[in-house]
Amino acid sequence: MSRQLRLVTATALTRLANVTAYAQGDLLANHATAANVVPIEAVALRYPGGEAIISAVRLTKSGADLTNAQFRVHFFKGVPTVSAGDNGAFAVTNGLARGYIGSVDITMNQALGDGAFGRVAADLLLDADKPSQKIYALIEVRGAYTPLSGETFTLSLETERA
């Protein structure tokens, strides 16, 4: 059976208006207070009654600097909660309960005039429970990364019918 590519782009995440450097293992988020962190929400399209695979993940950012731009994107079936806000240690308090799907590591390796991006192949299986399913993502910083103030990150998923 041949696979058909579907591309789904999530709502962009805009980080805080500061240039405070991240340490490896910090959460990159939209708010400094854990209770106000909103994960990235995406809709993974698939066919009715069929499973789908996230076959690739792309992450773009509005800043063009590639220095230490290394990230781990964690995926969940439900809305995860965190114990720290932006720039705090990455820790999910209900990840397994919310259906942890898996993670991918992305290194930004392409700088353009208006930002940067990275893409990585993935093999994350999604359930066959409905034709479209919201999934949620959190970004963990994997290098000592210094952001732009108010930098925007956009997550794109390439999904295929399994």
Side-chain angles (χ1 to χ4, degrees), residues 7-121:
L7 177 65
V8 180
T9 302
T11 304
L13 175 150
T14 302
R15 57 164 309 282
L16 303 178
N18 64 42
V19 293
T20 304
Y22 291 91
Q24 181 178 354
D26 281 354
L27 174 66
L28 188 149
N30 66 315
H31 204 281
T33 304
N36 295 328
V37 168
V38 177
I40 297 172
E41 182 180 300
V43 175
L45 294 179
R46 32 193 196 291
Y47 300 88
E51 294 177 330
I53 294 172
I54 298 175
S55 58
V57 178
R58 287 191 279 166
L59 190 63
T60 61
K61 64 185 190 82
S62 57
D65 186 9
L66 298 176
T67 306
N68 293 325
Q70 301 166 345
F71 307 94
R72 179 169 290 156
V73 183
H74 297 269
F75 295 97
F76 304 85
K77 293 179 186 177
V79 180
T81 56
V82 294
S83 60
D86 181 67
N87 223 316
F90 182 89
V92 178
T93 59
N94 69 344
L96 291 177
R98 296 297 181 190
Y100 187 68
I101 297 169
S103 67
V104 296
D105 289 341
I106 298 176
T107 298
M108 300 276 181
N109 56 7
Q110 294 289 320
L112 304 171
D114 59 349
F117 74 93
R119 180 183 183 275
V120 65

